[in-house]
Amino acid sequence: MTSATTSASPGTDSGKPADLDDAERARLDTAIGELHTGAATWSALTLAQRVTLLRQVRTSVAAAAEDWAVTAAASKRLDGRHPLRGEEWLSGPYSVLGALDAYIDTLTRLAEGRNALDGVRVSRAPGGRTRVHAFPLTGIDRFLLSGFTGEVWLEPGTTPNGARAGAGLAQRAPTASGGVGLVLGAGNVTSIPVLDVLYELLAHNRTALLKVNPTQDALVPVFKRALAPLIGPGFLRIVRGGPAVGAYLTGHRDLAHVHITGSAATFDAIVWGTGPAAARRRRENRPQLKKPITAELGGVSPIIVVPGAWTDADLAYQAEHIATMRLQNGGHNCIAGQVVILSADWAQADAFRAALRRAYAKAPERPIWYPGSDSRMDAATADYPDALVLGDRLLVEIAEDQDAAALQTTEYFAPVLGVVALPGSGQAFLDTAVAYANDRLQGTLGANLLIDPATEKSLGAGFERAIAALHYGSIAINSWTAFGFIIPTLTWGAFPGNTIGDVGSGIGVVHNALLLDGVERSVIRGPFRPFPRSLPLINGGGRFTILPTPPWFVSARTGAHVSEGLTRFRAGGGVLGLLKTLTAALRA
């Protein structure tokens, strides 16, 4: 999510004047013309040629990985010694390299005349749904990320045979051009613009004009080197600019589609305009945008903590887990957990609150770097003047008689974490928490749920029914939904049903490297306990993992080294480097 605004487009579909000079307009028009030529070239490529091209992109991304991560960290004011600099390796080049590998695998199957889901297990899910077991699909993922699995649930009524028939999307008809699309890039996570460009190209057969968010201007030279194999033949153009450039482009007659990662306010400004005229257009259902638009717009993400019999180590570990969900990237994430939902009847609720305060306070401090975040922190302080101020962050523990409306409906996009308590235990609590998340919290992008193995087993089928009832586009069980973001064969986007008139967390999905049609949600499942407590004899039937503290945890002492090592391994292999990385991981 980003918070930049885009005004109505001039001199285009909307007919309004732009704050651009003739030279700037000509530069943008030239780029769009080159992309139309590139679209014809792309449509002429065979699937095998596309695979070769993606391998070239992979090579250039790998070569740029270090510059990418270092530049991104510096732009967020993290120096080379900061313990959280590893975030920029995982959320930047690592994510893009993983996506390229997954797309290459899918297109290779199609090029060989096989189904996109050949070798991928497909089964039934609750409510007449089909689930695609989309992670892990490789031996190295099964080893390095042991204990984690991911499923894509398709919309009710889709059969397993229907899932296979629809997989492949535009690559099933590669000669049918989707024209040229506009990608308005996110400003907070550096892989997002690149992943969105890849999805335009592969899911829709659209060449792409990427307008980089001004917060990522420093990365434009890196992006141009990393994506040179796409830029050369006219499949991609990258431009800088503020709201005026975005406005001109969103209304441009020669662009077929708009995709934005940002805020609902920006989305509404693009679709409806601003001021009194926008209100009139809404009433008349007469949007100023005359082309299709998809979007990922964030929301208020719940963290449901299902009560059980937890050890002191469980309390501490899961408290660090929640601190990570909020504080990774300074809280400037569309998927940052914001509202912790506890059981008021849980015997360990007070102990968990204490563990959460400690973990939240102990996490390394970092700059609040995203534009507008200071004002949002001020707003949170005004909303909740009694909140705990813990260094550079706020912890809001909602009392029984306190109004939680601001916390439920404001995506603070800053280090603000809230805790609410609901009655009940077991299935009754879980059902109440699911209803609270669905009905009270703004948005449907992602939800997190923590539950110990014994409690999950005791709930039986009721647990799966509760997951089906949780209407979010990404659901993480004993994991964080950001894990689903970096797994390319999973999908990323809001729960289906939003419209341009009520956009919520957005419309459509991205990533989706298996190119599945009719997606409803992705479900990630992870280990409740880390290694060595994940060993079967002491884990109560839970999932085994070789990971101690995962490298993305803000509390991981060696997270920066492990994140860099995993990215370098993803980029170029090397057993010795991997062994060093795993050794560092065991010291986390």
Side-chain angles (χ1 to χ4, degrees), residues 230-273:
L230 297 179
I231 294 171
F235 304 150
L236 170 66
R237 289 292 181 267
I238 302 174
V239 299
R240 295 179 172 96
V245 171
Y248 181 72
L249 293 173
T250 54
H252 202 289
R253 295 183 182 92
D254 293 333
L255 292 173
H257 180 269
V258 177
H259 178 78
I260 176 175
T261 300
S263 69
T266 305
F267 178 94
D268 287 343
I270 292 169
V271 173
W272 304 103

Coordinates of all heavy atoms in Angstrom, one line a residue, residues 230-273:
L230 N 13.8 -7.1 -20.7 CA 12.4 -6.7 -21.0 C 12.3 -5.3 -21.6 O 11.4 -5.0 -22.5 CB 11.5 -6.7 -19.7 CG 11.3 -8.0 -19.0 CD1 10.5 -7.9 -17.8 CD2 10.7 -9.1 -19.9
I231 N 13.2 -4.4 -21.2 CA 13.2 -3.1 -21.8 C 13.7 -3.0 -23.2 O 13.1 -2.3 -24.1 CB 14.1 -2.2 -20.9 CG1 13.5 -2.0 -19.5 CG2 14.2 -0.8 -21.5 CD1 14.3 -1.3 -18.5
G232 N 14.7 -3.8 -23.6 CA 15.3 -3.8 -24.9 C 14.3 -4.0 -26.0 O 14.2 -3.2 -26.9
P233 N 13.5 -5.1 -25.9 CA 12.5 -5.4 -27.0 C 11.2 -4.6 -26.9 O 10.3 -4.8 -27.7 CB 12.3 -6.9 -26.9 CG 12.6 -7.2 -25.5 CD 13.6 -6.2 -25.0
G234 N 11.1 -3.7 -25.9 CA 9.9 -2.9 -25.8 C 8.7 -3.5 -25.0 O 7.6 -3.2 -25.2
F235 N 9.1 -4.4 -24.1 CA 8.0 -5.1 -23.3 C 7.8 -4.3 -22.0 O 6.8 -4.5 -21.3 CB 8.4 -6.5 -22.9 CG 8.7 -7.4 -24.1 CD1 9.6 -8.4 -24.0 CD2 8.1 -7.2 -25.3 CE1 9.9 -9.2 -25.1 CE2 8.3 -8.0 -26.4 CZ 9.3 -9.0 -26.3
L236 N 8.7 -3.4 -21.7 CA 8.6 -2.6 -20.4 C 9.3 -1.2 -20.7 O 10.3 -1.1 -21.3 CB 9.4 -3.3 -19.3 CG 9.6 -2.5 -18.0 CD1 8.2 -2.2 -17.3 CD2 10.5 -3.3 -17.0
R237 N 8.6 -0.2 -20.1 CA 9.2 1.1 -20.0 C 9.0 1.6 -18.5 O 8.0 1.3 -17.9 CB 8.6 2.1 -21.0 CG 9.0 1.9 -22.4 CD 10.4 2.2 -22.7 NE 10.8 2.0 -24.1 CZ 11.3 0.8 -24.6 NH1 11.5 -0.2 -23.7 NH2 11.7 0.7 -25.8
I238 N 10.0 2.3 -18.0 CA 9.9 2.7 -16.6 C 10.1 4.2 -16.6 O 11.0 4.8 -17.2 CB 11.1 2.1 -15.8 CG1 11.0 0.6 -15.8 CG2 11.0 2.6 -14.3 CD1 12.2 -0.1 -15.1
V239 N 9.1 4.9 -15.9 CA 9.1 6.4 -15.9 C 9.0 6.8 -14.4 O 8.5 6.1 -13.6 CB 8.0 7.0 -16.7 CG1 8.2 6.6 -18.2 CG2 6.6 6.6 -16.2
R240 N 9.5 8.0 -14.2 CA 9.4 8.6 -12.8 C 8.3 9.7 -13.0 O 7.8 10.0 -14.0 CB 10.7 9.3 -12.4 CG 11.9 8.4 -12.2 CD 13.1 9.3 -11.8 NE 14.2 8.6 -11.3 CZ 15.2 8.3 -12.1 NH1 15.2 8.6 -13.4 NH2 16.3 7.7 -11.6
G241 N 7.9 10.2 -11.8 CA 7.0 11.3 -11.8 C 6.0 11.3 -10.6 O 5.8 10.3 -10.0
G242 N 5.4 12.5 -10.4 CA 4.5 12.6 -9.3 C 3.1 12.5 -9.7 O 2.8 11.9 -10.8
P243 N 2.1 13.1 -9.0 CA 0.7 13.0 -9.3 C 0.3 13.4 -10.7 O -0.5 12.8 -11.4 CB 0.0 13.8 -8.3 CG 1.0 13.8 -7.1 CD 2.3 13.8 -7.7
A244 N 1.0 14.4 -11.3 CA 0.7 14.9 -12.6 C 0.9 13.9 -13.7 O 0.2 13.7 -14.6 CB 1.4 16.2 -12.9
V245 N 2.1 13.2 -13.5 CA 2.4 12.1 -14.5 C 1.4 11.0 -14.4 O 0.9 10.5 -15.4 CB 3.9 11.6 -14.3 CG1 4.1 10.4 -15.1 CG2 4.8 12.7 -14.6
G246 N 1.1 10.6 -13.1 CA 0.1 9.5 -12.9 C -1.2 9.9 -13.5 O -1.9 9.0 -14.1
A247 N -1.6 11.1 -13.3 CA -2.9 11.6 -13.8 C -3.0 11.5 -15.3 O -3.9 11.1 -15.9 CB -3.2 13.0 -13.3
Y248 N -1.9 12.0 -16.0 CA -1.9 12.0 -17.4 C -2.0 10.5 -18.0 O -2.7 10.2 -18.9 CB -0.6 12.6 -17.9 CG -0.4 12.7 -19.4 CD1 -1.2 13.5 -20.2 CD2 0.5 11.8 -20.1 CE1 -1.1 13.5 -21.6 CE2 0.6 11.8 -21.5 CZ -0.2 12.7 -22.2 OH -0.1 12.7 -23.6
L249 N -1.3 9.6 -17.3 CA -1.2 8.3 -17.8 C -2.5 7.5 -17.5 O -2.9 6.7 -18.4 CB 0.0 7.5 -17.1 CG 1.4 8.0 -17.6 CD1 2.5 7.4 -16.7 CD2 1.6 7.8 -19.1
T250 N -3.1 7.7 -16.4 CA -4.3 6.9 -16.1 C -5.4 7.2 -17.1 O -6.3 6.3 -17.3 CB -4.8 7.2 -14.7 OG1 -5.0 8.6 -14.5 CG2 -3.9 6.6 -13.6
G251 N -5.4 8.4 -17.7 CA -6.5 8.7 -18.6 C -6.0 8.5 -20.1 O -6.8 8.9 -21.0
H252 N -4.8 8.0 -20.3 CA -4.3 8.0 -21.7 C -5.1 7.0 -22.5 O -5.3 5.9 -22.1 CB -2.8 7.6 -21.6 CG -2.1 8.0 -22.8 ND1 -2.2 7.4 -24.1 CD2 -1.1 9.0 -23.0 CE1 -1.4 8.0 -24.9 NE2 -0.7 9.0 -24.3
R253 N -5.5 7.5 -23.7 CA -6.3 6.6 -24.6 C -5.6 5.4 -25.1 O -6.3 4.4 -25.5 CB -6.8 7.5 -25.8 CG -7.7 8.6 -25.4 CD -8.2 9.4 -26.6 NE -9.0 10.5 -26.2 CZ -8.6 11.8 -26.0 NH1 -7.3 12.0 -26.1 NH2 -9.4 12.7 -25.7
D254 N -4.3 5.4 -25.1 CA -3.6 4.3 -25.7 C -3.1 3.2 -24.6 O -2.4 2.3 -25.0 CB -2.4 4.8 -26.4 CG -2.8 5.6 -27.7 OD1 -3.9 5.3 -28.2 OD2 -2.0 6.5 -28.1
L255 N -3.6 3.4 -23.4 CA -3.3 2.4 -22.4 C -4.6 1.6 -22.1 O -5.7 2.2 -21.9 CB -2.8 3.0 -21.1 CG -1.4 3.7 -21.3 CD1 -1.1 4.5 -20.0 CD2 -0.4 2.6 -21.5
A256 N -4.5 0.3 -22.1 CA -5.7 -0.6 -22.0 C -6.2 -0.9 -20.6 O -7.3 -1.3 -20.4 CB -5.5 -1.9 -22.7
H257 N -5.3 -0.7 -19.6 CA -5.6 -1.2 -18.3 C -4.8 -0.4 -17.3 O -3.6 0.0 -17.6 CB -5.4 -2.7 -18.2 CG -5.6 -3.3 -16.9 ND1 -4.7 -3.4 -15.9 CD2 -6.8 -3.8 -16.3 CE1 -5.2 -4.0 -14.8 NE2 -6.5 -4.3 -15.1
V258 N -5.2 -0.3 -16.0 CA -4.5 0.3 -14.9 C -4.4 -0.7 -13.8 O -5.4 -1.3 -13.4 CB -5.1 1.6 -14.4 CG1 -4.4 2.2 -13.2 CG2 -5.2 2.7 -15.5
H259 N -3.2 -0.9 -13.2 CA -3.1 -1.6 -12.0 C -2.4 -0.7 -11.0 O -1.3 -0.1 -11.3 CB -2.3 -2.9 -12.2 CG -2.1 -3.6 -10.9 ND1 -3.1 -4.4 -10.3 CD2 -1.1 -3.6 -10.0 CE1 -2.7 -4.8 -9.1 NE2 -1.5 -4.4 -8.9
I260 N -2.9 -0.6 -9.8 CA -2.3 0.2 -8.8 C -2.2 -0.5 -7.5 O -3.0 -1.3 -7.1 CB -3.2 1.5 -8.5 CG1 -2.6 2.3 -7.3 CG2 -4.6 1.2 -8.3 CD1 -3.3 3.6 -7.1
T261 N -1.0 -0.4 -6.8 CA -0.9 -0.8 -5.4 C -0.8 0.5 -4.6 O 0.2 1.3 -4.9 CB 0.4 -1.6 -5.2 OG1 0.3 -2.8 -6.0 CG2 0.6 -2.0 -3.8
G262 N -1.7 0.8 -3.8 CA -1.8 2.1 -3.1 C -2.9 2.2 -2.1 O -3.2 1.2 -1.4
S263 N -3.5 3.3 -2.0 CA -4.5 3.6 -1.0 C -5.9 3.7 -1.7 O -6.0 4.0 -2.9 CB -4.3 4.9 -0.3 OG -4.4 6.0 -1.1
A264 N -6.9 3.5 -1.0 CA -8.3 3.6 -1.5 C -8.5 5.1 -2.0 O -9.3 5.3 -2.9 CB -9.3 3.2 -0.5
A265 N -7.9 6.0 -1.3 CA -8.1 7.4 -1.7 C -7.5 7.7 -3.1 O -8.1 8.4 -3.9 CB -7.5 8.4 -0.6
T266 N -6.4 7.1 -3.3 CA -5.7 7.3 -4.6 C -6.6 6.6 -5.7 O -6.8 7.1 -6.8 CB -4.3 6.7 -4.6 OG1 -3.6 7.3 -3.6 CG2 -3.6 6.9 -6.0
F267 N -7.1 5.4 -5.4 CA -7.9 4.6 -6.3 C -9.1 5.5 -6.7 O -9.5 5.6 -7.8 CB -8.3 3.3 -5.7 CG -9.3 2.5 -6.5 CD1 -8.7 1.5 -7.3 CD2 -10.6 2.6 -6.5 CE1 -9.6 0.7 -8.1 CE2 -11.5 1.9 -7.2 CZ -11.0 0.9 -8.1
D268 N -9.8 6.0 -5.7 CA -11.0 6.8 -5.9 C -10.7 8.0 -6.7 O -11.6 8.4 -7.6 CB -11.7 7.2 -4.6 CG -12.4 6.0 -3.9 OD1 -12.6 5.0 -4.6 OD2 -12.6 6.1 -2.7
A269 N -9.6 8.7 -6.5 CA -9.2 9.8 -7.3 C -9.0 9.5 -8.7 O -9.4 10.2 -9.6 CB -8.0 10.5 -6.7
I270 N -8.4 8.3 -9.0 CA -8.3 7.9 -10.4 C -9.6 7.5 -11.0 O -9.9 7.9 -12.2 CB -7.3 6.6 -10.4 CG1 -5.9 7.0 -10.0 CG2 -7.3 6.0 -11.8 CD1 -5.0 5.8 -9.8
V271 N -10.5 6.8 -10.3 CA -11.7 6.3 -10.9 C -12.8 7.4 -11.0 O -13.5 7.6 -12.0 CB -12.2 5.1 -10.1 CG1 -13.6 4.7 -10.6 CG2 -11.3 4.0 -10.2
W272 N -12.9 8.2 -9.9 CA -14.0 9.2 -9.8 C -13.6 10.6 -9.9 O -14.4 11.5 -10.1 CB -14.8 9.0 -8.5 CG -15.3 7.6 -8.4 CD1 -14.7 6.6 -7.6 CD2 -16.4 7.0 -9.0 NE1 -15.4 5.4 -7.7 CE2 -16.5 5.6 -8.5 CE3 -17.3 7.4 -9.9 CZ2 -17.4 4.7 -9.0 CZ3 -18.3 6.5 -10.4 CH2 -18.4 5.2 -9.9
G273 N -12.3 10.9 -9.8 CA -11.8 12.3 -9.8 C -11.8 12.8 -8.3 O -12.0 12.0 -7.4

